[in-house]
Amino acid sequence: QLQLQESGPGLETPSETLSLTCSVSGGSISSTSYYWGWIRQPPGKGLEWIGSVFYSGRTYYNPSLKSRVTISVDTAKNQFSLKLSSVTAADTAEYYCARGCYDSSGYEREFDPWGQGTLVTVSS
Amino acid sequence: DIQMTQSPSSLSASIGDRVTITCRASQSISSYLNWYQQKPGKAPKVLIYSASSLQSGVPSRFSASGSGTDFTLTISSLQPEDFATYYCQQSYSTPVTFGGGTKVEIK
């Protein structure tokens, strides 16, 4: 059964770069059948897609964050990572990694499963 | 960006009630609509994908329908474990967007 686990610092200083890693177990991150994504949720609020990375290395980012986001894959470690630069208090959120699924036509579909999430607080 | 609007934002219901949640997209998204359930302190879990397909392992009291811009999620007989927040999500175009959520509470 595929499992995802986020890791990284729980506290970031304003203006610094947030770095998180998602470790994938029970399956290969190199599979062409799936893609991988980051989603975040500020405390008490809704879900915001940050970006996704595909087996080819192609990435798509939310335009609202694009200038600050980098998502990359490390196939040797079966991990993918998120970097978000110049963080502010508005970036305080639970950060989730998830596997993205395709439909039979190759279009993106749901995220399943998700990691348990990691809370990142931005504060001096 | 495609805006996803859920209604209601919250509701109170009793065990055994039939509950319906709606999700409206700001433009047509065909059937690229997914529904998630999130319990406090937990990650979202997919219930429905492609507008009406029940994810494996999800109880059959959950059903969904719709296409284009209007979608519904129905719980036929609310159970204690169903009290949670429900989100719709469109995967039709980038950026992926989620509805604001519907919190289902105990009456």
Side-chain angles (χ1 to χ4, degrees), chain B residues 11-15 37-40 78-86 104-107:
Chain B
L11 64 90
S12 296
S14 301
I15 302 300
Q37 176 193 66
Q38 186 179 33
K39 296 182 178 180
L78 198 65
Q79 298 301 301
E81 59 268 31
D82 300 336
F83 291 95
T85 300
Y86 295 84
V104 177
E105 299 177 300
I106 302 174
K107 180 182 284 185

Side-chain angles (χ1 to χ4, degrees), chain B residues 21-35:
Chain B
I21 299 167
T22 65
C23 178
R24 175 165 289 178
S26 60
Q27 66 184 75
S28 178
I29 57 171
S30 185
S31 296
Y32 291 96
L33 191 284
N34 309 302
W35 289 98

Side-chain angles (χ1 to χ4, degrees), chain A residues 60-118:
Chain A
Y60 283 124
Y61 301 136
N62 193 320
S64 66
L65 300 168
K66 186 176 182 178
S67 64
R68 300 193 290 131
V69 173
T70 302
I71 296 175
S72 58
V73 173
D74 186 335
T75 55
K77 294 183 178 179
N78 221 36
Q79 297 174 337
F80 63 107
S81 299
L82 168 69
K83 292 188 185 298
L84 181 66
S85 63
S86 305
V87 296
T88 70
D91 295 310
T92 293
E94 191 83 19
Y95 284 77
Y96 296 100
C97 60
R99 182 183 70 176
C101 304
Y102 292 105
D103 69 4
S104 57
S105 300
Y107 287 98
E108 291 134 49
R109 211 175 62 190
E110 78 280 9
F111 286 108
D112 178 62
W114 297 50
Q116 65 183 30
T118 187

Side-chain angles (χ1 to χ4, degrees), chain B residues 51-69:
Chain B
S52 60
S53 296
L54 192 68
Q55 178 72 341
S56 175
V58 174
S60 59
R61 63 181 179 273
F62 290 94
S63 65
S65 64
S67 67
T69 60

Side-chain angles (χ1 to χ4, degrees), chain A residues 8-14 16-20 87 92 118-124:
Chain A
L11 180 65
E12 286 293 349
T13 304
E16 296 296 314
T17 296
L18 177 161
S19 295
L20 297 175
V87 296
T92 293
T118 187
L119 178 63
V120 178
T121 301
V122 180
S123 175
S124 55

Side-chain angles (χ1 to χ4, degrees), chain A residues 52-54 57-61 71-72:
Chain A
S52 297
V53 60
F54 300 81
R58 179 173 55 122
T59 52
Y60 283 124
Y61 301 136
I71 296 175
S72 58

Side-chain angles (χ1 to χ4, degrees), chain B residues 46-105:
Chain B
V46 65
L47 300 175
I48 302 283
Y49 62 90
S50 299
S52 60
S53 296
L54 192 68
Q55 178 72 341
S56 175
V58 174
S60 59
R61 63 181 179 273
F62 290 94
S63 65
S65 64
S67 67
T69 60
D70 294 315
F71 302 86
T72 61
L73 173 70
T74 299
I75 309 172
S76 61
S77 177
L78 198 65
Q79 298 301 301
E81 59 268 31
D82 300 336
F83 291 95
T85 300
Y86 295 84
Y87 293 94
C88 61
Q89 173 237 330
Q90 65 83 16
S91 58
Y92 179 78
S93 69
T94 301
V96 165
T97 47
F98 292 84
T102 296
K103 187 174 184 179
V104 177
E105 299 177 300

